[in-house]
Amino acid sequence: MTIEKLSTNTVFGGEHIRFKHRSSTLACDMIFAVFLPSKAKTTPVPVLYWLSGLTCTDENFMQKAGAQQYAEKHGIAIVAPDTSPRGEDIANDPSYDLGQGAGFYVNATQPPWQAHYQMYSYVTEELPQLVEQHLPVSNKKAISGHSMGGHGALTIALKNKDMFTSISAFSPIVNPINCPWGQKAFTHYLGAHCGIWEAHDTCELMRACDNTLPCLIDQGLDDEFLKEQLLTERLTDIVKEKQLDVTIRMQPGYDHSYYFIASFIEEHVAFHAKYLAQ
């Protein structure tokens, strides 16, 4: 597997790099971004994978969240993939919540999506292999994300507990089988059988487990999507009932934007750093 460096910028003493590669999993060219702390010049560093939300690319988080300064402090690399396959010949939809920019981090089984929309395998297999082959990182990994990416981070980590040290999320879609965004995407990508959807639903995954990875979730109480799409209270009830190692913080005054993420990203990076260091 080969990668092409597209650009590089120095930031907070480390290096922000954008790469392009041909993905065999997604059957298209993909771009991902990496922040390498200065520590990576002398020793392999652990990685925090960041999954972004609907309409985003690799650039949103890296440009808006200010996470690099905290990753530099703790000696952690950040890897931010795109949110879906892209290209002229790749299936798409006019709406923002389906198709390109809206991969939902699942492996699609339905036409025309299944030919390219294999984001679950891309994030769990191809991308980590590529990163560990070409960059000065260790095999220690944590994962985080926002909105659709929060859904991806939570479900991927819960299904691969031996792969990650910890999980966190901002404003995640925690019960997609019961919200309009999730129902639309899952019907197109996975088919109409609701039983299949449960394997990609955080509430259902946590309801079925007796223990989880250390997990931190922040949700803004002024988030315009909270009541209809995110359904955080349903996960809160399950966590309390199961007594799981999950911290859910409801933050007054905060919305769904990157202002919210920038306000608490320092705490999320420190949270992961604790477990990546063990």
Side-chain angles (χ1 to χ4, degrees), residues 4-25:
E4 174 189 353
K5 184 184 291 188
L6 299 179
S7 64
T8 181
N9 301 92
T10 300
V11 55
F12 294 111
E15 186 177 18
H16 172 267
I17 316 167
R18 297 185 79 213
F19 293 103
K20 181 170 75 172
H21 74 106
R22 184 68 182 178
S23 169
S24 59
T25 302

Side-chain angles (χ1 to χ4, degrees), residues 107-115 117-118 186-192 196:
N107 284 346
T109 60
Q110 304 300 303
W113 312 101
Q114 82 276 24
Y117 285 75
Q118 304 293 312
F186 286 3
T187 298
H188 283 82
Y189 295 148
L190 304 174
I196 297 173

Side-chain angles (χ1 to χ4, degrees), residues 67-261:
Q68 295 95 333
Q69 58 189 309
Y70 310 117
E72 170 66 21
K73 174 183 176 181
H74 293 286
I76 297 171
I78 301 174
V79 173
D82 203 345
T83 52
S84 77
R86 296 184 191 269
E88 292 182 2
D89 299 326
I90 293 174
N92 200 10
D93 188 88
S95 60
Y96 74 95
D97 54 357
L98 183 69
Q100 295 185 35
F104 271 84
Y105 306 100
V106 300
N107 284 346
T109 60
Q110 304 300 303
W113 312 101
Q114 82 276 24
H116 298 281
Y117 285 75
Q118 304 293 312
M119 287 298 293
Y120 176 86
S121 290
Y122 180 70
V123 171
T124 60
E125 298 174 14
E126 184 177 17
L127 183 61
Q129 292 172 12
L130 191 72
V131 168
E132 290 171 21
Q133 177 184 344
H134 290 279
L135 298 172
V137 301
S138 69
N139 62 1
K140 299 199 75 172
K141 295 179 278 290
I143 191 166
S144 185
H146 172 234
S147 194
M148 177 187 73
H151 143 77
L154 289 164
T155 56
I156 285 172
L158 289 170
K159 291 161 68 70
N160 297 273
K161 294 178 185 177
D162 58 342
M163 185 175 179
F164 301 99
T165 62
S166 48
I167 330 164
S168 76
F170 291 85
S171 315
I173 306 169
V174 298
N175 195 202
I177 66 175
N178 288 311
C179 78
W181 280 341
Q183 290 170 343
K184 179 179 179 178
F186 286 3
T187 298
H188 283 82
Y189 295 148
L190 304 174
H193 193 289
C194 297
I196 297 173
W197 301 358
E198 293 178 359
H200 303 281
D201 184 288
T202 297
C203 283
E204 295 302 317
L205 290 170
M206 287 205 179
R207 195 192 311 276
C209 73
D210 292 323
N211 59 78
T212 183
L213 297 172
C215 180
L216 172 63
I217 296 172
D218 273 313
Q219 173 60 58
L221 283 174
D222 283 8
D223 191 319
E224 63 270 37
F225 302 113
L226 177 57
K227 291 184 179 180
E228 183 181 18
Q229 303 283 9
L230 307 180
L231 308 179
T232 311
E233 72 283 354
R234 301 187 182 189
L235 182 61
T236 300
D237 291 342
I238 293 169
V239 166
K240 289 180 179 178
E241 178 186 348
K242 302 279 293 187
Q243 297 184 325
L244 298 173
D245 183 15
V246 178
T247 299
I248 300 176
R249 308 188 303 190
M250 307 301 291
Q251 304 287 6
Y254 288 93
D255 58 17
H256 201 72
S257 71
Y258 267 85
Y259 295 111
F260 175 42
I261 297 171

